[in-house]
Amino acid sequence: MNGIIWNLLFFLIALGILIAVHEYGHFLVARRCGVKVERFAIGFGKSIWQHFGKDGTEYTLAMIPLGGYVKMLDERVSNVPEELKHQAFNNRPLWQRNSIVAAGPVANFLLAIFAYWLVMVIGVQTLKPVIGDVTPQSIAAKAGIEPGMELIAISGIETADWESVNLQLIYHIGNERMHLSIRPKDSVGDVVIKTLDISDWSFDSDKESALRTLGMIPFSPEITNIIAYLVEGSPAQRVGLRLGDEILTIEGQSVDDWQKVVGLIRAHPDTPLSVSVLRGNQVLLFELVPDAKEQNNILIGYAGLVPKVEPWPESYQFMMQVHPLEAIPKAIIKTWQVMVLTVEMIKKLLTGDVAVKNLSGPISIAKGAGMSAGFGLVHFLGFLALISVNLGVINLLPLPVLDGGHLLFFGIEAVRGHPVSERVQDMGYRVGSAIIIALMTVAIFNDLLRL
């Protein structure tokens, strides 16, 4: 329950920031263009806070925090006194109306740039994308990728860390080729290009890692068979195992890596296991009976052991931090890359290269907000930037209920010389609403399946 509350809290914080920034973009440009703003609202439904400003605008915070709106004076909506008609949205020049509508998505892109700038200035300790192992006969193996190589760039886009790598891999779903710039193991400056044939590449993003389906396994420090921690009251502690014991065999089978230890214990719930360990210079024998725990409707064994993990090599770690001035163009480039990725994913969704089941809704976003916040401010800012770009791009789609739909109507008006009829606009709003509702239904259904 605490996890749900945590996710919900940071979902509301993220959503509140995104909506406020988006609507403030509309509000600010409308005011600059001389349009009277009657209401600036965050949320829908019953108002829980109101303030009437000296500017004549009603500022409102409503109960349902799933959106917001800026209500402007408009003759198409209500009667406007003659002396205020020059302040009505519908009477402003076309370029001003375009600017007011486009200001919402632009504000989201500016928020993303600011968030990425903060991330780069604050800095984050991260890991170089070094390949630990390559699956035989995989796409990566056929391209000549080898363990120890470092991914420098993918199709010309720099990949300094694993997050950048994963974003670029997603971008290439449905493509025929992918070009990797790679620094060979123990090489200082030399970079080679490897081309991967990904024409037959496909995977389930809910269950599989994009990187691993290509055959590349990220480097991770060795997990030893030495016990580093014992859960209080666990079977391992009860039987007499101690910190520093090194597990040698289970049921007479030599266990040369931790995965074998885990596999044997999980496979024997409530079953005595003969376990030999090295303690100092002595080999000791214990009878361990793993507890039975249910996982995905299957009983598995549980012993309460945590292994010692070797430290990360210092050469694989670095502080990703940039000078404030240098961070400005980098943040702009990062935002642009995410915008391109978002547009590309929408195109692949429409062409079928990306399955509809990959659509995510508010539940997935809430989980993402909670997880990123749990890792710290920098990760939450990165998440906020990513969602802000997505919100901005989606709002520019040419659906009449979105900002992009209004811009579409204005474009037609510019060509024809007069506005689109109210009947056509009303029909467009109905169709656009139906499409949005259908997409939201699919996204929420996908979220529920992931639960």
Side-chain angles (χ1 to χ4, degrees):
M1 184 59 71
N2 288 339
I4 294 174
I5 294 173
W6 176 269
N7 291 345
L8 180 60
L9 173 63
F10 281 95
F11 170 68
L12 293 176
I13 291 173
L15 196 62
I17 293 172
L18 294 172
I19 293 170
V21 167
H22 181 93
E23 298 304 335
Y24 186 72
H26 292 310
F27 172 81
L28 181 63
V29 176
R31 293 286 300 274
R32 291 295 178 90
C33 290
V35 175
K36 180 177 175 57
V37 178
E38 297 182 307
R39 182 180 296 121
F40 180 95
I42 304 297
F44 299 105
K46 186 178 180 180
S47 176
I48 57 177
W49 177 83
Q50 280 181 310
H51 172 71
F52 289 90
K54 294 180 180 179
D55 53 7
T57 301
E58 174 194 340
Y59 298 89
T60 300
L61 186 63
M63 289 187 68
I64 306 173
L66 296 178
Y69 62 95
V70 172
K71 183 183 178 184
M72 292 172 274
L73 196 66
D74 195 319
E75 289 183 297
R76 299 168 301 174
V77 179
S78 59
N79 293 325
V80 177
E82 190 67 33
E83 65 273 14
L84 294 179
K85 285 189 176 181
H86 68 285
Q87 291 182 290
F89 174 80
N90 63 293
N91 290 329
R92 304 311 299 168
L94 184 60
W95 72 268
Q96 289 190 351
R97 284 179 279 148
N98 269 307
S99 300
I100 293 168
V101 171
V106 169
N108 284 124
F109 299 142
L110 291 175
L111 172 62
I113 291 171
F114 177 66
Y116 280 132
W117 178 83
L118 276 177
V119 168
M120 293 174 186
V121 170
I122 295 170
V124 59
Q125 190 73 22
T126 190
L127 300 166
K128 294 180 180 179
V130 177
I131 299 166
D133 202 0
V134 177
T135 306
Q137 303 304 313
S138 63
I139 294 173
K142 291 175 182 177
I145 309 295
E146 298 175 357
M149 289 182 164
E150 180 185 348
L151 296 172
I152 303 299
I154 297 179
S155 296
I157 304 297
E158 182 184 352
T159 52
D161 60 353
W162 284 115
E163 180 189 1
S164 302
V165 170
N166 288 327
L167 280 175
Q168 288 308 308
L169 291 182
I170 292 170
Y171 176 84
H172 284 80
I173 294 174
N175 291 3
E176 296 288 320
R177 298 281 185 275
M178 179 162 53
H179 306 288
L180 306 185
S181 299
I182 289 183
R183 181 175 291 123
K185 185 178 181 181
D186 300 327
S187 175
V188 177
D190 295 335
V191 174
V192 297
I193 306 296
K194 299 288 185 180
T195 300
L196 276 63
D197 180 355
I198 55 173
S199 54
D200 296 324
W201 179 44
S202 63
F203 65 98
D204 186 341
S205 60
D206 287 338
K207 300 176 181 177
E208 299 173 295
S209 156
L211 190 73
R212 287 175 180 267
T213 55
L214 289 169
M216 291 179 281
I217 301 171
F219 171 85
S220 61
E222 180 188 358
I223 302 174
T224 71
N225 284 3
I226 299 172
I227 299 172
Y229 179 75
L230 290 166
V231 176
E232 189 70 30
S234 65
Q237 188 185 60
R238 293 196 304 265
V239 82
L241 292 175
R242 297 180 186 174
L243 302 185
D245 287 349
E246 181 180 358
I247 300 175
L248 301 176
T249 65
I250 298 179
E251 286 296 295
Q253 297 182 45
S254 177
V255 283
D256 51 9
D257 64 60
W258 186 253
Q259 287 303 316
K260 289 183 179 178
V261 173
V262 172
L264 286 167
I265 290 174
R266 288 169 63 94
H268 294 86
D270 285 332
T271 304
L273 294 174
S274 175
V275 178
S276 69
V277 302
L278 179 64
R279 180 179 295 170
N281 295 321
Q282 290 183 299
V283 175
L284 305 176
L285 194 63
F286 296 89
E287 187 177 83
L288 174 67
V289 183
D291 287 344
K293 287 198 170 186
E294 187 173 322
Q295 187 179 81
N296 298 326
N297 298 319
I298 299 174
L299 284 180
I300 62 168
Y302 167 78
L305 295 166
V306 177
K308 176 186 174 184
V309 180
E310 296 295 341
W312 281 90
E314 288 189 12
S315 60
Y316 287 14
Q317 306 176 60
F318 72 103
M319 186 68 175
M320 188 183 287
Q321 191 173 30
V322 182
H323 185 276
L325 290 179
E326 188 184 347
I328 295 173
K330 285 184 176 291
I332 294 172
I333 293 170
K334 177 74 172 180
T335 301
W336 174 253
Q337 289 174 350
V338 178
M339 287 170 64
V340 172
L341 172 63
T342 304
V343 172
E344 191 67 21
M345 292 304 292
I346 292 172
K347 285 168 54 181
K348 290 178 179 180
L349 194 65
L350 294 174
T351 57
D353 290 325
V354 174
V356 176
K357 68 178 182 179
N358 290 307
L359 275 177
S360 295
I363 298 174
S364 291
I365 295 173
K367 289 171 68 176
M371 287 177 62
S372 62
F375 288 125
L377 175 63
V378 169
H379 294 277
F380 181 70
L381 287 171
F383 172 83
L384 193 67
L386 180 65
I387 300 300
S388 191
V389 170
N390 276 260
L391 181 62
V393 171
I394 289 171
N395 260 286
L396 287 175
L397 293 177
L399 293 174
V401 290
L402 301 175
D403 294 329
H406 293 289
L407 295 174
L408 174 63
F409 286 144
F410 293 155
I412 296 172
E413 180 181 342
V415 173
R416 298 175 64 199
H418 57 86
V420 176
S421 70
E422 289 188 17
R423 188 178 69 85
V424 171
Q425 289 188 48
D426 182 63
M427 187 181 303
Y429 293 140
R430 292 174 187 272
V431 172
S433 297
I435 293 173
I436 294 296
I437 291 171
L439 289 173
M440 283 301 298
T441 301
V442 171
I444 292 172
F445 179 73
N446 289 341
D447 282 354
L448 294 174
L449 287 180
R450 293 187 185 106
L451 290 178

